[in-house]
Amino acid sequence: MDFQQSLIATVHDYSLGNLDAIDFNQELRQRPTALLIPCLMEEFKRPALSLIRDTLSTLTGLSSLVIALSADSIEDVNAAEAFFANMPFPVQVHWTNGPAVHEVLSSMGSLGLDLTGPPGKGWAVWQGLGVACQQAEVIGLFDADIRTFGSGYPERMLRPLLNPSHGMAYVKAFYSRLSLETQALQGRATRLFVGPLLASLEQIFGALPYLRYLQTFRYPLAGEFAFTRDLAMNLRIPSDWGLEMGLLSEVYRHVAPSRITQVDLGLFDHKHKSLGNKPDEGLQRMASEIFCTVLRSLMEHEGCVMSMDQLPTLEVLYRRVGEDRVRQFGLDSAINRLPYDRHGEELALHRFADLLRPSLSGLLASPIAHQLPSWSRLNSCNPSFAMDLATAGKVGHQSPSYTPSAIRLRRPNHSPARLENQAKASTISAA
């Protein structure tokens, strides 16, 4: 591993094994820290989540663990609670699609806010942040399907934020994605789509600051990241497959590059997504939504719009850069004695290239994305909304006889009488 630095700080893995569980737990106790894991019930049937649970059980200094769970029944949620029953810190299983949660989210419709979906990772992350931010000052996020999860993952990703003297607000993981079974390179969406796409856009628009920022991240699609509560509270959360790229756009909007770092987690493997047989399936759908997210962010941060007239140039550049990357990954694999399916990589590249034209047409027809509002905005609408949501996530599965009407929704009281009393109190206090 090299030791180079660039626009944002990079924490390298020098493979020295310098981990210290005792020191790390002491650091965790100095700054309240929560971990958030968005999760489907199907993950409880796989060994990865057991590995994650057992590894996290050593973090005695952790303040809390929030499981943002999508489940079909109360029994499923109770089983998830039992799975995490013996952890040395509080665990809240938040039922993201439970009836009480649905009622609380729907209640904000009267203020013109649609918070009821679409269901997915972004929606789960957004809810989990609302729960975790109530007490934690640092929040870290991991997926539930990481097959190589080790003690170094949380320690290396959280430590840049635990000591305020580092000045960091956001941490993004990067890693070497290899299959545990075959040792083949994984991460096709990053290697064969995002990398060539950003390089091609730079040739068209020039070395724009935002493009330089995105290219600084070694694994921009990594689903593992951490941030301070102040930052997390002010991020709009994308609700589609553009979540990771959309979050990078939000971080760019709120944080100076000097307060961002990326951390090498070493070898990494998790559940693989298939390429898909149609444009709206698998990695093809993911790539299409990522493409739209990147172009939308260029509109927002640089005022640049890609036209249909520029599209042929992008298609040619993308294929050329992509084919060069395939050759480079082939060389990397050969020297490291890794299996490499060059033909399969080329086919995936061409599938991704075929998505550019219909994706751009769809973006130009409907440029505004669905983003869930930041928690700071929601708190301004209803200061008790986050507490209501957290309560609903728990109350919704405490009893089979539960009905949504059992939740009492607290709304801010802006009546004239209350405002007059507040004004009098402020006058007395000032005197």
Side-chain angles (χ1 to χ4, degrees):
M1 173 58 67
D2 62 39
F3 46 77
Q4 300 299 322
Q5 299 289 341
S6 56
L7 179 66
I8 63 175
T10 298
V11 177
H12 299 88
D13 180 6
Y14 293 117
S15 302
L16 299 177
N18 292 337
L19 302 175
D20 189 330
I22 295 176
D23 186 60
F24 180 45
N25 276 307
Q26 290 176 345
E27 290 187 63
L28 286 172
R29 294 186 183 96
Q30 297 302 312
R31 196 170 192 189
T33 302
L35 287 180
L36 167 61
I37 300 179
C39 191
L40 302 173
M41 274 308 301
E42 64 191 53
E43 302 298 345
F44 289 85
K45 301 177 182 178
R46 299 189 175 102
L49 192 56
S50 295
L51 173 64
I52 294 171
R53 177 198 59 190
D54 295 344
T55 303
L56 295 181
S57 66
T58 64
L59 302 185
T60 56
L62 194 67
S63 298
S64 64
L65 172 64
V66 177
I67 306 298
L69 178 68
S70 175
D72 294 332
S73 67
I74 294 172
E75 291 73 22
D76 284 345
V77 184
N78 289 336
E81 287 188 328
F83 184 85
F84 288 101
N86 297 318
M87 304 298 277
F89 41 75
V91 179
Q92 177 165 347
V93 177
H94 179 80
W95 191 7
T96 60
N97 58 331
V101 166
H102 180 77
E103 181 181 346
V104 172
L105 297 179
S106 298
S107 72
M108 298 295 279
S110 61
L111 299 178
L113 295 172
D114 180 11
L115 309 178
T116 57
K121 181 181 176 181
W123 192 56
V125 168
W126 173 78
Q127 288 194 47
L129 285 180
V131 175
C133 283
Q134 293 185 71
Q135 297 182 353
E137 295 180 11
V138 172
I139 300 96
L141 187 142
F142 288 101
D143 284 334
D145 59 352
I146 304 172
R147 305 169 63 203
T148 50
F149 197 90
S151 58
Y153 284 14
E155 179 171 340
R156 292 175 60 79
M157 200 171 76
L158 293 174
R159 287 191 65 210
L161 300 176
L162 296 180
N163 187 342
S165 68
H166 294 315
M168 294 299 165
Y170 181 74
V171 177
K172 178 83 164 178
F174 71 97
Y175 30 68
S176 300
R177 276 201 63 192
L178 297 177
S179 167
L180 285 179
E181 287 78 19
T182 67
Q183 298 186 335
L185 294 175
Q186 301 297 321
R188 288 174 294 176
T190 295
R191 294 188 296 106
L192 301 181
F193 185 70
V194 175
L197 173 67
L198 296 178
S200 301
L201 290 173
E202 184 178 33
Q203 293 190 55
I204 294 174
F205 292 114
L208 299 175
Y210 182 64
L211 287 176
R212 181 189 174 208
Y213 162 80
L214 289 182
Q215 292 181 87
T216 300
F217 290 95
R218 301 194 180 188
Y219 207 111
L221 297 186
E224 293 68 37
F225 43 83
F227 27 44
T228 61
R229 176 170 58 191
D230 290 345
L231 176 58
M233 291 287 290
N234 286 283
L235 299 177
R236 299 171 299 174
I237 305 296
S239 57
D240 58 13
W241 283 110
L243 171 64
E244 283 78 18
M245 298 300 288
L247 278 178
L248 289 182
S249 173
E250 285 290 290
V251 171
Y252 182 81
R253 178 186 179 198
H254 289 282
V255 178
S258 61
R259 302 194 66 206
I260 302 171
T261 186
Q262 58 183 340
V263 174
D264 187 357
L265 298 186
L267 181 64
F268 187 97
D269 189 25
H270 69 164
K271 185 174 56 182
H272 306 300
K273 186 177 292 295
S274 67
L275 186 62
N277 296 317
K278 298 184 294 184
D280 61 349
E281 295 179 351
L283 289 180
Q284 293 186 73
R285 176 184 173 186
M286 183 178 183
S288 177
E289 294 183 359
I290 289 170
F291 178 53
C292 292
T293 298
V294 171
L295 293 188
R296 192 179 293 113
S297 299
L298 280 174
M299 297 179 193
E300 180 176 354
H301 300 301
E302 303 289 357
C304 293
V305 180
M306 169 154 285
S307 68
M308 294 301 293
D309 291 339
Q310 294 170 306
L311 183 62
T313 303
L314 177 63
E315 291 175 318
V316 171
L317 285 173
Y318 170 76
R319 285 178 181 267
R320 190 204 70 195
V321 175
E323 289 167 358
D324 289 343
R325 296 290 174 90
V326 168
R327 180 179 54 81
Q328 291 169 337
F329 289 124
L331 175 63
D332 192 5
S333 297
I335 301 305
N336 284 285
R337 300 186 185 279
L338 307 178
Y340 190 71
D341 180 6
R342 176 166 180 170
H343 177 61
E345 299 264 290
E346 294 270 7
L347 290 178
L349 178 73
H350 295 160
R351 291 274 191 93
F352 291 148
D354 291 340
L355 298 170
L356 299 179
R357 186 170 294 271
S359 298
L360 179 59
S361 297
L363 174 66
L364 294 177
S366 181
I368 305 301
H370 183 273
Q371 291 177 306
L372 293 158
S374 70
W375 280 98
S376 60
R377 177 188 175 187
L378 292 171
N379 286 343
S380 71
C381 298
N382 183 350
S384 65
F385 175 70
M387 185 185 301
D388 289 330
L389 182 66
T391 302
K394 292 185 293 187
V395 171
H397 59 264
Q398 284 182 352
S399 169
S401 61
Y402 165 79
T403 58
S405 60
I407 292 291
R408 179 174 64 88
L409 299 179
R410 293 180 295 278
R411 300 182 185 280
N413 182 358
H414 297 309
S415 66
R418 186 186 180 197
L419 293 176
E420 181 180 354
N421 291 336
Q422 288 178 335
K424 291 180 180 178
S426 298
T427 303
I428 295 172
S429 176

